[in-house]
Amino acid sequence: MRLWIKDPLAILAARAERGIVVDGAEIVECVARGHSPAERCDATFDASRHVVLPGLVNAHHHFYQTLTRAHPAGEGLELVPWLAAMERVWDRMTPEALRIAIRMALVELMLSGCTTAADHHNLFPPGLENAIDIEVEEARALGMRMTVTRGSMGISQKDGGLQPDSIVQDSDTILEDSERVLRLFHDPRRGAMIRVALAPCSPLAVPIRVMTDSAKLAELHDARLHCHLCQSTDEDVYAVQTFGKRSVDLLEEAGWLSPRTWVAHGIHFNEDEIARLGQAGVGVCHLAAADMAFGVGICPTKELEAAGVTIGLGVDGAASNDSSNMMEAVRHSLMLQRLRYGHASVSPHDALRWATEGSARLLGRDDIGRIAPGMQADLALLTLDEPRFSGAQDRIAALPLCGAHRADRVMVAGRWRVIDGMPEGVDLEALIARHRAAARAFA
Ligand SMILES: [Zn+2]
């Protein structure tokens, strides 16, 4: 069916003033000012109240943490002790609780205009071995596009690591399950709804063999690699003390300095490391809300981009951001980066570019993140009807500047998944009630 999304209030696309035509899962035409679609359309959607964006792409999250937002166990603690305190809460996770946490995260993201999400799932206590399978089932049921990352933690406290024994797996188990989920779920084709990436929590959290063999598996299956990197200054102190090397050197030794890799946070690099990351084509996911929440520093986006590093955005875990809102992530990034570089150096369009094209590139995708013929029909449509937008002149810049946070319509692969601000096929009230009840087990 050919659908004309007609006469938008504004659209983030070139020569598409009269809208776009969607056929099946793809955008087939941009309709320029003074023109009509080249072929007859079967249906028309009047977008005259809507600002149309490419669907936002969230390149880093921990869905299970939606059950432990604003949790008192971590309040007032710095990053590492916070993580230690929260891991003792998260190790109670059951398959049923995980399923409802994932559903809530996906719905929350979608309502904020997100159409593709990467979830860094690294929690596999006994009983939760099939966490990735549950995630794929939930994404498919909701029609969300995902890069599901098979995370891992492999060095526990008894071996001198930071994680409790209960959530750590041995290297063989991690690698065998990584291969299993790649074979089962990874779809490298254009238009794929599910892809799998391999994602040890950080190069400091697993034995080197998990890093090197993950890189080999990723090569074999044409998949991507992901980890946390250089989030705090403590990290490199620990890396040098424990491994005799800095984090980026560990990454290089494991064969991860490649265009397959994107890292989360990426704050504390030296000049030489920034140049090496750029030359290798490694991408960085900027996580403004979590970085502000923990006061760990500000991602050097300008220096990284100048070196050739792609910047994308994510919301990070729902226990460190306490929210899974991608439009808010755009605003947070714009404000934080302006704090670092000044008003003239970072524009609302830069932040939107990071959240769309940038994040898409981090996930290795050239079929999403832009509105153009041949791209997937992943769209976020927002109205400017709330008081906060009244009087706004630049309708696209108004979204991050005035604080947009909820989409009116969201389309994924040509299908409406949010209509009138509500998720299709989901009883939102019932979902919140179930999620709240599940969260009581983590109090
Ligand atoms: Zn994270």
Side-chain angles (χ1 to χ4, degrees):
M1 188 188 82
R2 290 177 81 86
L3 170 69
W4 181 12
I5 298 175
K6 188 181 174 186
D7 294 334
L9 191 59
I11 183 165
L12 191 58
R15 292 176 293 283
E17 295 82 0
R18 296 220 61 209
I20 53 173
V21 179
V22 170
D23 192 357
E26 282 189 12
I27 298 165
V28 293
E29 188 181 355
C30 287
V31 187
R33 185 177 289 114
H35 288 72
S36 294
E39 288 180 38
R40 199 184 65 80
C41 291
D42 306 299
T44 299
F45 174 77
D46 174 8
S48 58
R49 284 175 53 238
H50 296 91
V51 178
V52 182
L53 300 179
L56 305 178
V57 180
N58 172 26
H60 184 78
H61 203 314
H62 306 283
F63 286 177
Y64 63 85
Q65 295 178 6
T66 58
L67 292 162
T68 58
R69 299 184 218 254
H71 201 291
E75 187 48 42
L77 299 177
E78 299 295 344
L79 180 64
V80 174
W82 173 85
L83 202 53
M86 294 309 295
E87 278 168 345
R88 284 193 289 277
V89 177
W90 295 326
D91 73 358
R92 296 171 215 163
M93 194 67 63
T94 63
E96 298 73 28
L98 178 67
R99 185 178 293 282
I100 206 75
I102 292 168
R103 198 174 300 170
M104 177 57 82
L106 287 169
V107 165
E108 198 187 346
L109 284 167
M110 218 179 247
L111 291 176
S112 75
C114 177
T115 51
T116 300
D119 185 39
H120 192 172
H121 186 87
N122 50 21
L123 189 69
F124 294 88
L128 211 61
E129 290 81 4
N130 288 338
I132 299 301
D133 308 56
I134 296 170
E135 194 146 52
V136 171
E137 283 168 23
E138 288 299 313
R140 283 180 176 158
L142 285 166
M144 182 79 147
R145 208 184 289 279
M146 269 197 78
T147 292
V148 179
T149 82
R150 204 299 179 187
S152 52
M153 293 190 272
I155 305 177
S156 75
Q157 282 156 356
K158 71 172 163 42
D159 298 318
L162 299 172
Q163 277 74 39
D165 297 347
S166 57
I167 56 173
V168 163
Q169 293 181 304
D170 65 68
S171 300
D172 286 339
T173 305
I174 293 167
L175 291 164
E176 279 163 23
D177 196 53
S178 297
E179 189 153 24
R180 179 185 75 84
V181 296
L182 278 167
R183 284 188 195 287
L184 264 179
F185 304 123
H186 181 56
D187 180 358
R189 293 171 300 180
R190 233 183 129 70
M193 291 302 290
I194 301 288
R195 288 191 181 169
V196 175
L198 301 184
C201 189
S202 91
L204 315 176
V206 291
I208 183 83
R209 190 183 135 224
V210 173
M211 294 293 289
T212 51
D213 285 10
S214 294
K216 289 177 196 157
L217 276 174
E219 197 66 41
L220 196 66
H221 291 267
D222 191 16
R224 296 184 77 76
L225 294 162
H226 181 51
C227 67
H228 293 99
L229 200 77
C230 296
Q231 181 176 5
S232 72
T233 45
D234 295 344
E235 184 180 319
D236 271 321
V237 173
Y238 176 81
V240 171
Q241 275 173 1
T242 313
F243 299 92
K245 298 185 176 72
R246 288 170 60 88
S247 299
V248 173
D249 300 325
L250 284 169
L251 213 62
E252 182 162 40
E253 188 180 294
W256 276 51
L257 283 199
S258 100
R260 290 198 181 283
T261 303
W262 90 101
V263 301
H265 300 284
I267 300 170
H268 299 286
F269 299 124
N270 62 34
E271 267 180 48
D272 169 62
E273 288 166 347
I274 289 176
R276 282 155 65 201
L277 293 168
Q279 272 162 16
V282 172
V284 170
C285 180
H286 175 35
L287 298 157
D291 295 342
M292 287 190 280
F294 283 101
V296 286
I298 306 177
C299 178
T301 55
K302 289 279 161 192
E303 289 84 351
L304 286 164
E305 283 194 322
V309 172
T310 297
I311 299 292
L313 301 185
V315 300
D316 204 1
S320 52
N321 182 336
D322 300 292
S323 158
S324 311
N325 192 303
M326 260 313 280
M327 269 313 304
E328 285 180 359
V330 177
R331 177 171 165 86
H332 289 146
S333 311
L334 172 62
M335 298 304 174
L336 185 60
Q337 291 298 321
R338 279 183 164 177
L339 182 64
R340 176 163 190 149
Y341 295 106
H343 187 264
S345 296
V346 187
S347 74
H349 282 262
D350 287 328
L352 284 165
R353 171 173 55 80
W354 291 333
T356 52
E357 285 183 68
S359 291
R361 283 180 62 191
L362 297 188
L363 304 186
R365 304 201 64 138
D366 58 7
D367 55 347
I368 60 170
R370 277 191 311 124
I371 294 175
M375 302 295 280
Q376 288 287 297
D378 289 9
L379 304 168
L381 283 68
L382 296 95
T383 66
L384 302 183
D385 298 340
E386 289 175 67
R388 63 172 64 223
F389 300 111
S390 184
Q393 305 289 336
D394 179 332
R395 289 151 176 168
I396 290 175
L399 297 173
L401 289 175
C402 305
H405 57 96
R406 189 150 179 175
D408 183 60
R409 286 227 168 200
V410 174
M411 176 180 275
V412 186
R415 291 186 61 180
W416 292 118
R417 297 296 184 179
V418 172
I419 294 179
D420 297 336
M422 294 299 281
E424 275 293 283
V426 177
D427 181 339
L428 193 55
E429 221 173 291
L431 172 61
I432 293 170
R434 274 189 69 186
H435 188 265
R436 271 190 195 144
R440 283 191 208 115
F442 299 88

